[in-house]
């Protein structure tokens, strides 16, 4: 008989303890020992953010909205949630069975015998079918996933599902957006940082699988966080004992196949995700910020950090905190059904410098920087040329990602010390443009020297006024 | 006084007849005529014997012919590139053409540069020229840095 693998009891969540030890914990341990857990230790950034949101949902589900600031401060000082806070997990343990007969976690029994797929469809980085862009080889229905990896794959569904054939639709956020979560020095701090007042809370889908939001009302938080874009049913483990193709652990039980079909269109304009930055587009209205598709012909920044941080500064994500905080940012680039790239970075956001930055217009500098960066290849164009040359665009792609990466690492200074930090940002172009100049206009003739000089001074102008309207969350 | 300055001084001391003879050797190599060779050797060899820093034979022969072609007065600091860059020209087209010719000069190797330098000396007209700098720069003509400096001087980007 298949083991039910209950997620409250079985140890499946990879964590790094504050002692530096890598370990696996169950849901109950993750919550009660959160003060001694440094962070989620998944190798894929998608799992890190999916697990954090899941544990946050558990916290809301067990305790509702956060208590008073005094209680929160006591919790943080004690370094642990009160031991009796998560009794609901025990009472409703049956919501978290991954296998077995009856109700299963994040699965739909009605999907049985509808569309059988390799279980590796749950993890984007494992190839299936005739995928050719992959990091490791896998044989469908022969290589399997351990139950812990199956759980991780299921947790990704509300966040990272994309639309594709035959009728698969993306999740409640549509095209997977960039997720931004404040993080603290421990899992406890991280959960407390994200535990903000919200209404209505609603019911998560692990308790009420057939719950659906209405299309004319705001979506309750727990429903939105756990809305499943796929109807899944894990087959019993039939693969022989072996290594999990996901994590590599030797397991006695591996799942090789599952039912995997669409749950219909989940995108909902009334859903305001607490970990997504929204921007106002002139014609399209409110849109979640997403990672560009790098496979497009023209140059795109892989991490749109300038509009992202501008959006963060103007959004509720940054408002409730009394001290400086770190942000975990995870982006997933897709092109319809194709998974292109996933990335993660963390940065420090200052406070109360953030409020000052909004007041004195420093936040608008991000828009100016973005505009000026986009126009760089236009500034490099020779004076007697009517069109932008491909060569100039190539030169920009050679240096801009590097410079943007270096500048974006200083976002805290850019917000709190704009008068000195932005000139330093411009200096990064000043250092690289002479090299680009010699490459685009090699030689020593006077024409070459004039062109080199033109390129060397094609710097971003951070003194100009922003042309963009103030956007942000509605 | 540097060996180059001594060489220029020696050229300035040549009689009109000697200069005329050198003019007749424009575009010709040193070993093509005995009188030309003897004349040049009389000017250059004593300096070379005294110091290895005297201009090398190829450059000295070139400068001797150029001086004979246009014996412009010696003006320290008035480099050829700067003098060319300061020329006032009638219109954009003339300026562009002038700049193009200068760039063509920069691209020539030393063995083929004589007539282009003759054009430059003609264009400068009666203004003075720093013959010492010209000789020293032609001695290191193959270095890109030298020609880059000429470009910057032409454009007025150096003091």
């Amino acid at each position: 008989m298949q083991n039910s693998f209950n997620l409250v009891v079985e140890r499946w969540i990879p964590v790094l303890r504050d002692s530096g030890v890598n370990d696996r914990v169950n849901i109950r341990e993750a919550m009660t020992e959160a003060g001694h857990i440094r962070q989620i230790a998944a190798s894929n950034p998608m799992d890190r953010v999916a697990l954090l949101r899941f544990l946050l949902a558990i916290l809301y589900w067990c305790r509702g909205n956060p208590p008073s600031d005094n209680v929160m401060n006591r919790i943080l000082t004690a370094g642990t949630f009160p031991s009796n806070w998560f009794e609901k997990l025990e009472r409703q343990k049956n919501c978290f069975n991954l296998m077995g007969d009856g109700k299963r976690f994040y699965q739909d029994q009605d999907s049985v015998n509808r569309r059988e797929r390799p279980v590796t469809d749950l993890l984007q980085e494992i190839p299936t079918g005739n995928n050719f862009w992959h990091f490791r080889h896998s044989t469908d229905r022969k290589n399997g996933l351990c139950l812990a990896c199956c759980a991780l794959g299921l947790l990704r569904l509300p966040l990272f599902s994309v639309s594709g054939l035959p009728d698969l639709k993306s999740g409640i956020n549509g095209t997977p957006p960039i997720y931004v979560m404040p993080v603290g020095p421990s899992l406890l701090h991280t959960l407390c940082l994200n535990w903000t007042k919200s209404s209505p809370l609603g019911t998560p889908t692990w308790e009420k699988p057939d719950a659906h939001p209405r299309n004319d009302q705001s979506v309750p938080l727990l429903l939105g966080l756990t809305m499943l874009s796929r109807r899944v049913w894990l087959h019993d483990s039939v693969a022989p004992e072996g290594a999990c193709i996901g994590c590599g652990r030797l397991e006695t039980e591996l799942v090789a196949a599952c039912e995997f079909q669409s749950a219909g269109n989940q995108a909902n304009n009334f859903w305001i995700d607490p970990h997504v930055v929204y921007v106002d587009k002139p014609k399209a209205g409110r849109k979640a910020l997403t990672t560009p598709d790098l496979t497009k012909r023209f140059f795109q920044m892989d991490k749109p950090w300038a509009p992202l941080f501008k959006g963060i500064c103007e959004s509720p994500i940054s408002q409730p905190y009394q001290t400086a905080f770190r942000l975990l940012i995870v982006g997933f680039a897709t092109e319809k059904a194709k998974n292109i790239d996933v990335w993660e970075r963390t940065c420090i956001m200052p406070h109360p410098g953030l409020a000052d930055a909004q007041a004195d217009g420093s936040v608008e500098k991000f828009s100016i920087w973005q505009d000026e960066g986009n126009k760089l290849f236009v500034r490099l164009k020779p004076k007697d040329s009517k069109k932008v040359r491909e060569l100039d665009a190539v030169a920009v792609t050679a240096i801009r990602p590097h410079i943007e990466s270096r500048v974006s690492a200083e976002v805290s200074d850019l917000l709190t010390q704009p008068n000195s930090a932005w000139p330093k940002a411009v200096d990064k172009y000043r250092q690289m443009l002479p090299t680009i100049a010699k490459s685009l206009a090699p030689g020593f003739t006077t024409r070459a020297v004039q062109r080199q000089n033109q390129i060397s001074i094609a710097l971003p102008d951070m003194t100009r006024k922003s042309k963009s309207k103030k956007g942000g969350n509605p | 006084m540097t060996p180059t300055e001594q060489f220029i001084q020696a050229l300035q001391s040549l009689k009109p007849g000697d200069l005329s003879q050198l003019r007749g050797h424009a575009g010709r190599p040193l070993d093509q005529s005995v009188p030309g060779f003897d004349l040049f050797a009389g000017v250059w060899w004593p300096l070379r014997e005294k110091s290895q820093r005297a201009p090398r034979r190829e450059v000295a022969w070139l400068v001797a012919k150029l001086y004979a072609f246009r014996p412009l007065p010696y003006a320290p600091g008035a480099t050829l590139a700067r003098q060319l860059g300061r020329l006032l020209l009638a219109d954009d087209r003339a300026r562009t053409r002038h700049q193009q010719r200068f760039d063509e000069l920069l691209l020539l190797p030393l063995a083929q540069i004589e007539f282009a330098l003759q054009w430059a000396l003609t264009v400068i007209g009666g203004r003075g020229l720093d013959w010492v700098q010209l000789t020293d720069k032609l001695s290191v003509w193959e270095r890109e840095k030298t020609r880059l400096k000429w470009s910057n001087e032409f454009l007025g980007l150096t003091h």
Side-chain angles (χ1 to χ4, degrees):
Chain A
M1 185 172 138
Q2 180 80 50
N3 172 20
S4 62
F5 200 84
N6 188 283
L7 299 179
V8 176
V9 172
E10 300 286 345
R11 292 176 150 189
W12 60 280
I13 302 175
V15 297
L16 177 68
R17 294 191 178 274
D18 56 5
S19 59
V21 171
N22 242 349
D23 202 357
R24 284 195 173 194
V25 297
N26 56 42
I27 298 174
R28 185 199 309 129
E29 288 166 341
M31 304 310 287
T32 56
E33 297 172 23
H36 297 289
I37 292 173
R38 176 71 181 86
Q39 61 182 56
I40 301 296
S43 57
N44 191 317
M46 300 162 84
D47 293 324
R48 271 200 275 284
V49 71
L51 274 165
L52 283 175
R53 279 164 64 101
F54 171 66
L55 293 175
L56 180 67
I58 292 282
L59 184 59
Y60 274 108
W61 183 59
C62 290
R63 303 306 309 170
N65 273 314
S68 65
D69 287 348
N70 282 343
V71 173
M72 289 288 270
N73 287 337
R74 280 206 297 274
I75 289 169
L76 289 170
T77 306
T80 181
F81 289 120
S83 54
N84 60 347
W85 268 27
F86 302 104
E87 287 168 351
K88 193 172 182 180
L89 278 173
E90 295 299 324
R91 289 199 304 272
Q92 297 196 258
K93 211 157 84 166
N94 64 327
C95 294
F96 298 96
N97 288 328
L98 197 65
M99 304 296 279
D101 299 326
K103 187 175 170 186
R104 286 188 183 181
F105 175 78
Y106 272 14
Q107 295 171 67
D108 181 355
Q109 196 160 18
D110 288 342
S111 64
V112 174
N113 296 326
R114 297 288 185 93
R115 183 172 177 259
E116 187 192 318
R117 290 288 304 164
V119 75
T120 44
D121 271 8
L122 288 175
L123 297 184
Q124 284 84 347
E125 66 271 30
I126 314 282
T128 53
N130 56 359
N131 293 157
F132 60 94
W133 270 336
H134 53 250
F135 303 99
R136 68 196 87 168
H137 292 277
S138 164
T139 305
D140 291 349
R141 298 181 180 81
K142 189 173 172 187
N143 295 123
L145 291 178
C146 66
L147 293 172
C149 286
C150 288
L152 292 178
L154 290 172
L155 288 187
R156 290 186 192 181
L157 291 175
L159 289 81
F160 296 114
S161 295
V162 294
S163 57
L165 294 173
D167 61 348
L168 299 174
K169 304 291 181 193
S170 50
I172 194 170
N173 281 320
T175 300
I178 298 175
Y179 290 98
V180 181
M181 287 189 80
V183 291
S186 69
L187 180 58
L188 176 75
H189 279 86
T190 298
L191 291 173
C192 290
L193 277 171
N194 287 279
W195 194 15
T196 56
K197 201 164 160 53
S198 180
S199 177
L201 286 180
T203 308
T205 56
W206 64 69
E207 184 182 347
K208 207 171 167 192
D210 55 354
H212 278 279
R214 288 171 56 164
N215 283 334
D216 58 351
Q217 282 182 357
S218 61
V219 180
L221 177 69
L222 284 172
L223 181 56
L225 288 178
T226 59
M227 197 69 208
L228 293 171
S229 57
R230 300 286 184 267
R231 297 168 60 199
V232 178
W233 188 262
L234 297 173
H235 287 197
D236 289 343
S237 51
V238 293
E241 175 184 322
C244 168
I245 192 66
C247 63
R249 284 163 70 113
L250 283 173
E251 297 284 343
T252 54
E253 288 183 77
L254 292 177
V255 175
C258 64
E259 303 297 323
F260 191 85
Q261 57 178 302
S262 173
N265 189 5
Q266 307 287 330
N268 191 312
N269 289 333
F270 288 88
W271 165 238
I272 299 177
D273 194 303
H275 304 124
V276 168
V277 175
Y278 295 95
V279 291
D280 285 325
K281 302 264 183 179
K283 290 178 185 170
R286 187 196 75 155
K287 283 280 182 194
L289 208 57
T290 55
T291 301
D293 171 15
L294 299 181
T295 60
K296 291 268 191 297
R297 242 185 100 241
F298 49 89
F299 176 72
Q300 298 239 45
M301 283 302 303
D302 61 336
K303 300 176 186 61
W305 73 272
L308 177 64
F309 282 111
K310 181 173 182 296
I312 288 171
C313 292
E314 294 172 348
S315 82
I317 288 176
S318 62
Q319 283 168 12
Y321 308 108
Q322 304 304 313
T323 59
F325 56 97
R326 275 192 311 138
L327 282 178
L328 168 67
I329 305 169
V330 173
F332 180 44
T334 61
E335 198 249 319
K336 295 199 177 63
K338 272 197 289 188
N339 307 318
I340 307 294
D341 181 35
V342 65
W343 52 266
E344 165 197 289
R345 69 183 306 183
T346 55
C347 65
I348 296 176
M349 297 297 279
H351 191 93
L354 205 56
D356 293 339
Q358 286 170 320
D360 68 11
S362 299
V363 172
E364 283 306 308
K365 294 279 190 190
F366 289 110
S367 295
I368 297 172
W369 177 261
Q370 178 77 358
D371 286 344
E372 291 290 306
N374 288 340
K375 282 192 233 151
L376 179 61
F377 61 93
V378 175
R379 289 199 297 275
L380 295 187
K381 176 172 74 76
K383 283 180 184 163
D384 54 1
S385 170
K386 288 183 184 167
K387 285 192 213 171
V388 172
R389 304 181 313 166
E390 195 169 321
L391 197 58
D392 300 327
V394 167
V396 169
T397 62
I399 63 170
R400 194 169 164 212
H402 165 77
I403 291 175
E404 296 281 0
S405 175
R406 301 288 281 267
V407 172
S408 63
E410 310 293 331
V411 69
S412 185
D413 286 346
L414 293 171
L415 286 167
T416 55
Q417 300 167 54
N419 292 337
S420 58
W422 282 113
K424 278 187 197 166
V426 172
D427 270 346
K428 292 192 172 30
Y429 275 112
R430 201 189 308 277
Q431 289 160 14
M432 300 211 76
L433 282 177
T435 307
I436 291 291
K438 285 186 186 154
S439 171
L440 288 177
F444 43 73
T445 60
T446 54
R447 272 189 74 91
V449 168
Q450 282 175 318
R451 179 88 174 103
Q452 288 167 19
N453 288 343
Q454 181 219 339
I455 293 169
S456 297
I457 60 171
L459 300 168
D461 177 14
M462 295 306 294
T463 59
R464 71 167 181 83
K465 297 273 182 224
S466 167
K467 289 180 191 165
S468 59
K469 293 181 194 171
K470 284 193 188 244
N473 279 338
Chain B
M1 198 182 278
T2 66
T4 309
E5 285 169 339
Q6 289 173 359
F7 175 69
I8 298 301
Q9 198 174 60
L11 287 180
Q12 287 171 326
S13 312
L14 286 175
K15 298 193 181 92
D18 294 333
L19 289 175
S20 172
Q21 193 175 4
L22 279 174
R23 263 198 303 277
H25 286 80
R28 291 158 74 180
L30 177 61
D31 54 1
Q32 202 161 66
S33 96
V34 173
F37 180 90
D38 287 343
L39 175 58
F40 172 75
V43 172
W44 174 76
W45 182 244
L47 296 170
R48 187 68 175 186
E49 206 177 20
K50 261 194 244 172
S51 167
Q52 289 296 312
R53 288 177 173 273
R56 65 179 198 265
R57 188 171 71 174
E58 184 191 9
V59 172
W61 175 235
L62 171 62
V63 172
K65 286 186 288 180
L66 289 172
Y67 185 83
F69 173 77
R70 275 287 185 277
L72 299 174
Y74 174 53
T79 60
L80 183 70
R82 193 168 289 137
Q83 296 290 63
L84 286 171
R86 282 177 183 168
L87 280 176
L88 290 172
L89 293 162
D91 54 36
D92 283 344
R93 207 166 158 184
R95 271 193 286 276
T96 303
R97 182 68 195 121
H98 179 65
Q99 187 175 344
Q100 274 172 352
R101 280 201 80 166
F102 181 72
D103 281 344
E104 285 162 13
L105 183 157
L106 287 178
L107 291 169
L108 290 168
L110 193 68
Q112 296 168 22
I113 206 172
E114 184 177 346
F115 291 119
L117 287 173
Q118 282 185 359
W119 159 79
L121 293 176
T122 308
V123 159
I124 286 175
R127 290 189 267 180
L129 178 68
D130 193 334
W131 286 99
V132 173
Q133 275 252 18
L134 177 64
T135 308
D136 285 340
K137 291 305 173 193
L138 288 175
S139 297
V140 289
W141 186 245
E142 57 281 353
R143 291 183 197 171
E144 189 174 306
K145 205 165 70 169
T146 303
R147 295 184 250 190
L148 189 58
K149 191 166 181 209
W150 276 37
S151 281
N152 283 320
E153 284 178 357
F154 182 92
L155 293 171
L157 298 175
T158 57
H159 296 293

